Amino acid sequence: MWEAIAGMLAGLLAFYLILLIALWLYARRHPETVSIPEAFRLLPDLIRVIRRMAADKTAPRSVKIKLALLLVYLLSPVDLVPDFIPIIGQADDVIIVALVLRSVIRSAGVDLLHRHWPGNATGLSLIEKLAGIDARAAQRNEHH
């Protein structure tokens, strides 16, 4: 019995270490992603847009689930990576938001984000950058 529990704990620890390495590599390979100070300034608008998109009746169920889980994660005091770990400790929230937003935009389209964005155009531009959206392409698609 103890061997099985020890094996499961070792597996979880190995998975967590692999996740930390993956987050670190992502942060190093994507320096163009929004900086942590920029992301913190956007946090109130970001939480509002996530909540609004999750409540949108036209959004696919999978998008709503992703956004609801993201909102719970952002509002939770527990982080995937503790903040005392250099570089990725503070960047894990930004990286997770970027990955979820990219997935949501691929599934539901950029229009969902634009319809529900509560902030100014500069903030929207930063969120598009965070989500990996080319702002010029998004504007062209919006006008067609």
PDB file of all heavy atoms in Angstrom, residues 109-126:
ATOM      1  N   GLY A 109     -13.251  32.616 -31.717  1.00  0.00           N
ATOM      2  CA  GLY A 109     -12.977  33.781 -32.543  1.00  0.00           C
ATOM      3  C   GLY A 109     -12.689  35.019 -31.717  1.00  0.00           C
ATOM      4  O   GLY A 109     -13.100  35.129 -30.560  1.00  0.00           O
ATOM      5  N   VAL A 110     -11.998  35.958 -32.349  1.00  0.00           N
ATOM      6  CA  VAL A 110     -11.582  37.184 -31.673  1.00  0.00           C
ATOM      7  C   VAL A 110     -12.772  38.098 -31.374  1.00  0.00           C
ATOM      8  O   VAL A 110     -12.711  38.923 -30.473  1.00  0.00           O
ATOM      9  CB  VAL A 110     -10.476  37.903 -32.487  1.00  0.00           C
ATOM     10  CG1 VAL A 110     -11.050  38.539 -33.736  1.00  0.00           C
ATOM     11  CG2 VAL A 110      -9.753  38.917 -31.648  1.00  0.00           C
ATOM     12  N   ASP A 111     -13.859  37.939 -32.109  1.00  0.00           N
ATOM     13  CA  ASP A 111     -15.040  38.778 -31.895  1.00  0.00           C
ATOM     14  C   ASP A 111     -15.586  38.635 -30.466  1.00  0.00           C
ATOM     15  O   ASP A 111     -16.058  39.607 -29.885  1.00  0.00           O
ATOM     16  CB  ASP A 111     -16.127  38.441 -32.917  1.00  0.00           C
ATOM     17  CG  ASP A 111     -17.321  39.349 -32.783  1.00  0.00           C
ATOM     18  OD1 ASP A 111     -17.125  40.584 -32.839  1.00  0.00           O
ATOM     19  OD2 ASP A 111     -18.439  38.844 -32.601  1.00  0.00           O
ATOM     20  N   LEU A 112     -15.501  37.444 -29.908  1.00  0.00           N
ATOM     21  CA  LEU A 112     -15.967  37.233 -28.525  1.00  0.00           C
ATOM     22  C   LEU A 112     -15.199  38.137 -27.570  1.00  0.00           C
ATOM     23  O   LEU A 112     -15.795  38.783 -26.703  1.00  0.00           O
ATOM     24  CB  LEU A 112     -15.796  35.757 -28.133  1.00  0.00           C
ATOM     25  CG  LEU A 112     -16.264  35.377 -26.736  1.00  0.00           C
ATOM     26  CD1 LEU A 112     -17.787  35.467 -26.631  1.00  0.00           C
ATOM     27  CD2 LEU A 112     -15.808  33.969 -26.383  1.00  0.00           C
ATOM     28  N   LEU A 113     -13.899  38.211 -27.743  1.00  0.00           N
ATOM     29  CA  LEU A 113     -13.073  39.092 -26.913  1.00  0.00           C
ATOM     30  C   LEU A 113     -13.439  40.547 -27.136  1.00  0.00           C
ATOM     31  O   LEU A 113     -13.639  41.299 -26.178  1.00  0.00           O
ATOM     32  CB  LEU A 113     -11.586  38.863 -27.217  1.00  0.00           C
ATOM     33  CG  LEU A 113     -10.595  39.822 -26.566  1.00  0.00           C
ATOM     34  CD1 LEU A 113     -10.609  39.653 -25.051  1.00  0.00           C
ATOM     35  CD2 LEU A 113      -9.206  39.594 -27.118  1.00  0.00           C
ATOM     36  N   HIS A 114     -13.574  40.954 -28.393  1.00  0.00           N
ATOM     37  CA  HIS A 114     -13.869  42.354 -28.702  1.00  0.00           C
ATOM     38  C   HIS A 114     -15.236  42.785 -28.172  1.00  0.00           C
ATOM     39  O   HIS A 114     -15.379  43.914 -27.695  1.00  0.00           O
ATOM     40  CB  HIS A 114     -13.805  42.585 -30.209  1.00  0.00           C
ATOM     41  CG  HIS A 114     -12.398  42.539 -30.733  1.00  0.00           C
ATOM     42  ND1 HIS A 114     -12.092  42.768 -32.043  1.00  0.00           N
ATOM     43  CD2 HIS A 114     -11.220  42.269 -30.121  1.00  0.00           C
ATOM     44  CE1 HIS A 114     -10.792  42.662 -32.218  1.00  0.00           C
ATOM     45  NE2 HIS A 114     -10.241  42.347 -31.069  1.00  0.00           N
ATOM     46  N   ARG A 115     -16.232  41.911 -28.263  1.00  0.00           N
ATOM     47  CA  ARG A 115     -17.586  42.260 -27.776  1.00  0.00           C
ATOM     48  C   ARG A 115     -17.610  42.507 -26.280  1.00  0.00           C
ATOM     49  O   ARG A 115     -18.398  43.317 -25.796  1.00  0.00           O
ATOM     50  CB  ARG A 115     -18.566  41.125 -28.089  1.00  0.00           C
ATOM     51  CG  ARG A 115     -19.113  41.127 -29.469  1.00  0.00           C
ATOM     52  CD  ARG A 115     -20.355  40.232 -29.607  1.00  0.00           C
ATOM     53  NE  ARG A 115     -20.348  39.009 -28.852  1.00  0.00           N
ATOM     54  CZ  ARG A 115     -20.027  37.806 -29.344  1.00  0.00           C
ATOM     55  NH1 ARG A 115     -19.677  37.688 -30.605  1.00  0.00           N
ATOM     56  NH2 ARG A 115     -20.077  36.737 -28.586  1.00  0.00           N
ATOM     57  N   HIS A 116     -16.772  41.806 -25.538  1.00  0.00           N
ATOM     58  CA  HIS A 116     -16.875  41.864 -24.085  1.00  0.00           C
ATOM     59  C   HIS A 116     -15.761  42.652 -23.406  1.00  0.00           C
ATOM     60  O   HIS A 116     -15.751  42.757 -22.186  1.00  0.00           O
ATOM     61  CB  HIS A 116     -16.916  40.443 -23.519  1.00  0.00           C
ATOM     62  CG  HIS A 116     -18.147  39.705 -23.929  1.00  0.00           C
ATOM     63  ND1 HIS A 116     -19.403  40.042 -23.481  1.00  0.00           N
ATOM     64  CD2 HIS A 116     -18.321  38.670 -24.779  1.00  0.00           C
ATOM     65  CE1 HIS A 116     -20.295  39.234 -24.016  1.00  0.00           C
ATOM     66  NE2 HIS A 116     -19.668  38.392 -24.813  1.00  0.00           N
ATOM     67  N   TRP A 117     -14.815  43.199 -24.164  1.00  0.00           N
ATOM     68  CA  TRP A 117     -13.695  43.914 -23.550  1.00  0.00           C
ATOM     69  C   TRP A 117     -14.193  45.178 -22.856  1.00  0.00           C
ATOM     70  O   TRP A 117     -14.777  46.062 -23.491  1.00  0.00           O
ATOM     71  CB  TRP A 117     -12.637  44.267 -24.596  1.00  0.00           C
ATOM     72  CG  TRP A 117     -11.502  45.016 -23.973  1.00  0.00           C
ATOM     73  CD1 TRP A 117     -11.178  46.315 -24.178  1.00  0.00           C
ATOM     74  CD2 TRP A 117     -10.565  44.515 -23.021  1.00  0.00           C
ATOM     75  NE1 TRP A 117     -10.089  46.658 -23.411  1.00  0.00           N
ATOM     76  CE2 TRP A 117      -9.699  45.570 -22.681  1.00  0.00           C
ATOM     77  CE3 TRP A 117     -10.390  43.278 -22.402  1.00  0.00           C
ATOM     78  CZ2 TRP A 117      -8.661  45.419 -21.769  1.00  0.00           C
ATOM     79  CZ3 TRP A 117      -9.353  43.125 -21.498  1.00  0.00           C
ATOM     80  CH2 TRP A 117      -8.504  44.184 -21.194  1.00  0.00           C
ATOM     81  N   PRO A 118     -13.963  45.330 -21.526  1.00  0.00           N
ATOM     82  CA  PRO A 118     -14.477  46.484 -20.787  1.00  0.00           C
ATOM     83  C   PRO A 118     -13.513  47.668 -20.726  1.00  0.00           C
ATOM     84  O   PRO A 118     -13.904  48.752 -20.315  1.00  0.00           O
ATOM     85  CB  PRO A 118     -14.677  45.921 -19.376  1.00  0.00           C
ATOM     86  CG  PRO A 118     -13.578  44.922 -19.245  1.00  0.00           C
ATOM     87  CD  PRO A 118     -13.431  44.311 -20.625  1.00  0.00           C
ATOM     88  N   GLY A 119     -12.275  47.471 -21.133  1.00  0.00           N
ATOM     89  CA  GLY A 119     -11.256  48.511 -20.980  1.00  0.00           C
ATOM     90  C   GLY A 119     -11.049  49.335 -22.235  1.00  0.00           C
ATOM     91  O   GLY A 119     -11.865  49.336 -23.156  1.00  0.00           O
ATOM     92  N   ASN A 120      -9.911  50.012 -22.263  1.00  0.00           N
ATOM     93  CA  ASN A 120      -9.590  50.890 -23.389  1.00  0.00           C
ATOM     94  C   ASN A 120      -8.878  50.113 -24.501  1.00  0.00           C
ATOM     95  O   ASN A 120      -8.553  48.934 -24.352  1.00  0.00           O
ATOM     96  CB  ASN A 120      -8.756  52.086 -22.924  1.00  0.00           C
ATOM     97  CG  ASN A 120      -7.446  51.653 -22.281  1.00  0.00           C
ATOM     98  OD1 ASN A 120      -6.861  50.629 -22.634  1.00  0.00           O
ATOM     99  ND2 ASN A 120      -6.971  52.442 -21.336  1.00  0.00           N
ATOM    100  N   ALA A 121      -8.643  50.804 -25.616  1.00  0.00           N
ATOM    101  CA  ALA A 121      -8.035  50.171 -26.790  1.00  0.00           C
ATOM    102  C   ALA A 121      -6.603  49.708 -26.516  1.00  0.00           C
ATOM    103  O   ALA A 121      -6.167  48.682 -27.039  1.00  0.00           O
ATOM    104  CB  ALA A 121      -8.059  51.136 -27.972  1.00  0.00           C
ATOM    105  N   THR A 122      -5.867  50.448 -25.696  1.00  0.00           N
ATOM    106  CA  THR A 122      -4.497  50.058 -25.361  1.00  0.00           C
ATOM    107  C   THR A 122      -4.504  48.740 -24.596  1.00  0.00           C
ATOM    108  O   THR A 122      -3.695  47.846 -24.870  1.00  0.00           O
ATOM    109  CB  THR A 122      -3.809  51.161 -24.528  1.00  0.00           C
ATOM    110  OG1 THR A 122      -3.843  52.376 -25.257  1.00  0.00           O
ATOM    111  CG2 THR A 122      -2.382  50.789 -24.195  1.00  0.00           C
ATOM    112  N   GLY A 123      -5.399  48.613 -23.657  1.00  0.00           N
ATOM    113  CA  GLY A 123      -5.513  47.369 -22.891  1.00  0.00           C
ATOM    114  C   GLY A 123      -5.911  46.205 -23.780  1.00  0.00           C
ATOM    115  O   GLY A 123      -5.369  45.100 -23.659  1.00  0.00           O
ATOM    116  N   LEU A 124      -6.848  46.452 -24.705  1.00  0.00           N
ATOM    117  CA  LEU A 124      -7.264  45.403 -25.636  1.00  0.00           C
ATOM    118  C   LEU A 124      -6.090  44.971 -26.502  1.00  0.00           C
ATOM    119  O   LEU A 124      -5.893  43.778 -26.746  1.00  0.00           O
ATOM    120  CB  LEU A 124      -8.424  45.876 -26.509  1.00  0.00           C
ATOM    121  CG  LEU A 124      -8.920  44.878 -27.544  1.00  0.00           C
ATOM    122  CD1 LEU A 124      -9.402  43.589 -26.886  1.00  0.00           C
ATOM    123  CD2 LEU A 124     -10.026  45.500 -28.382  1.00  0.00           C
ATOM    124  N   SER A 125      -5.298  45.927 -26.933  1.00  0.00           N
ATOM    125  CA  SER A 125      -4.122  45.610 -27.739  1.00  0.00           C
ATOM    126  C   SER A 125      -3.148  44.725 -26.960  1.00  0.00           C
ATOM    127  O   SER A 125      -2.589  43.768 -27.510  1.00  0.00           O
ATOM    128  CB  SER A 125      -3.438  46.910 -28.170  1.00  0.00           C
ATOM    129  OG  SER A 125      -2.252  46.636 -28.858  1.00  0.00           O
ATOM    130  N   LEU A 126      -2.957  45.016 -25.675  1.00  0.00           N
ATOM    131  CA  LEU A 126      -2.082  44.189 -24.847  1.00  0.00           C
ATOM    132  C   LEU A 126      -2.652  42.781 -24.650  1.00  0.00           C
ATOM    133  O   LEU A 126      -1.916  41.798 -24.688  1.00  0.00           O
ATOM    134  CB  LEU A 126      -1.847  44.852 -23.487  1.00  0.00           C
ATOM    135  CG  LEU A 126      -0.912  46.052 -23.493  1.00  0.00           C
ATOM    136  CD1 LEU A 126      -0.911  46.738 -22.139  1.00  0.00           C
ATOM    137  CD2 LEU A 126       0.493  45.629 -23.875  1.00  0.00           C
TER     138      LEU A 126
END
